Amino acid sequence: MIDFQYQNSYGLKDLEKIVSILRAPGGCPWDGEQTHESLRRDLLEEAYEVVEAIDEGSQEHLKEELGDLLLQVVFHADIEREKGSFDLDAVADGICRKLIYRHPHVFGDVSVSGSGEVLENWDVLKRKEKGQATHSDALSSVARSLPGLWRAEKVQKKAKKAGFDWPDISGAVDKLSEELGELKEAIGEGTNPEEELGDLLFAAVNVSRFLKADPEAALTRATDKFIARFRLVERAAAERGASMEEMSLEELDKLWEEAKHTLSKE
């Protein structure tokens, strides 16, 4: 029989104990088998589900998804606790020390004029803390596990702090056109179009940065728009007694333009 007391409500320490029980011998076989590597995708998915709950504006959904994300943190900490490496308290200690160190205007005697200076100081302190001696070190420190568009944006922002940036959006737009031309040329010649496609996407992120638009959010909206138009095209084809597969590209293009017009009026 497990040593566990049922309660009317539970806290963080209770969650820590439940995870420990689940992973211990005699607990849950699946939980006991998990590793950092096997849980890697789960951690990412839970983080994205938190973001989705934020976008929905649902407090109940947000509370649930934050719980799922918190479980991942506790789970990974428990794996290390079993190894004798660190535990959840050590994780909390680390982030507490980091917050205190990076907020000298709150916990020290540093004065700031506003949030802009706070961010500047944060960046300086972070580079010092991480031992980043050069701007290149700062660029290399951006996690490769980030979604590609976000990683490109973050790298570009760090490059800007070194003075490596166009003075306005026109340079970024011109570069986008240049990269599109190089992609067309590579496709025509059959010489590594994938590399040129990557350059085009990187240039597009630069444009989004000047527009102060989140590239991932912009792409998500474009994908949602595509799905909405596609749905109207499929419905219109069915109303004509045909499937999309049976129609010519010219017919589908006509339906697509009709769908664009319909949605633009909504």
Side-chain angles (χ1 to χ4, degrees):
M1 192 69 178
I2 61 172
D3 177 22
F4 181 74
Q5 181 68 46
Y6 293 94
Q7 301 171 197
N8 291 327
S9 64
Y10 302 94
L12 185 56
K13 283 297 181 183
D14 298 309
L15 175 58
E16 194 175 5
K17 183 174 183 179
I18 289 170
V19 169
S20 177
I21 290 172
L22 291 174
R23 288 186 47 79
C28 174
W30 184 89
D31 288 295
E33 292 171 356
Q34 299 314 301
T35 64
H36 295 308
E37 291 72 24
S38 69
L39 292 171
R40 181 179 182 277
R41 178 163 178 167
D42 292 334
L43 177 60
L44 291 171
E45 289 179 356
E46 296 299 354
Y48 279 114
E49 288 175 11
V50 168
V51 173
E52 186 169 344
I54 292 172
D55 292 341
E56 287 178 4
S58 168
Q59 292 177 327
E60 279 301 312
H61 191 193
L62 178 59
K63 180 175 69 173
E64 176 188 353
E65 297 302 343
L66 284 172
D68 291 343
L69 182 59
L70 178 59
L71 171 60
Q72 289 294 314
V73 175
V74 174
F75 215 121
H76 283 277
D78 194 67
I79 291 173
E80 290 303 317
R81 179 193 62 78
E82 290 179 346
K83 298 177 182 178
S85 175
F86 61 79
D87 59 12
L88 189 61
D89 283 337
V91 173
D93 176 70
I95 188 60
C96 286
R97 292 176 183 276
K98 181 185 293 185
L99 288 172
I100 294 168
Y101 174 73
R102 294 188 187 176
H103 289 83
H105 54 287
V106 176
F107 299 101
D109 55 5
V110 174
S111 297
V112 294
S113 58
S115 59
E117 195 172 350
V118 168
L119 293 177
E120 289 178 11
N121 290 345
W122 178 281
D123 192 57
V124 171
L125 291 168
K126 182 177 180 180
R127 287 185 59 178
K128 181 179 178 181
E129 181 183 297
K130 301 291 184 180
Q132 296 168 3
T134 66
H135 291 294
S136 297
D137 290 341
L139 266 61
S140 297
S141 72
V142 178
R144 299 185 80 255
S145 56
L146 281 172
L149 297 179
W150 278 348
R151 181 174 181 239
E153 180 188 44
K154 200 163 185 178
V155 165
Q156 290 170 7
K157 285 181 177 179
K158 288 182 179 295
K160 179 180 180 178
K161 292 176 181 178
F164 192 77
D165 200 13
W166 285 284
D168 55 54
I169 193 173
S170 61
V173 172
D174 290 343
K175 185 63 176 177
L176 183 63
S177 298
E178 176 189 324
E179 295 298 351
L180 177 58
E182 292 181 7
L183 174 61
K184 290 179 178 178
E185 184 178 337
I187 291 174
E189 296 176 352
T191 56
N192 200 10
E194 183 178 345
E195 179 179 347
E196 298 301 337
L197 175 60
D199 291 343
L200 178 64
L201 292 172
F202 192 85
V205 171
N206 246 330
V207 174
S208 75
R209 183 171 54 82
F210 274 96
L211 292 173
K212 293 181 169 52
D214 183 330
E216 287 285 345
L219 181 56
T220 294
R221 286 192 292 271
T223 302
D224 289 341
K225 182 168 62 177
F226 177 87
I227 293 171
R229 290 176 180 175
F230 187 93
R231 189 181 304 279
L232 288 181
V233 169
E234 189 173 33
R235 184 184 304 161
E239 290 171 353
R240 288 163 172 74
S243 67
M244 292 179 65
E245 293 88 346
E246 297 169 340
M247 302 182 75
S248 66
L249 182 58
E250 290 75 15
E251 291 172 318
L252 291 173
D253 278 340
K254 183 178 179 181
L255 294 181
W256 183 262
E257 291 302 318
E258 291 177 4
K260 286 174 62 176
H261 180 70
T262 298
L263 290 173
S264 67
K265 295 189 298 183
E266 294 181 356

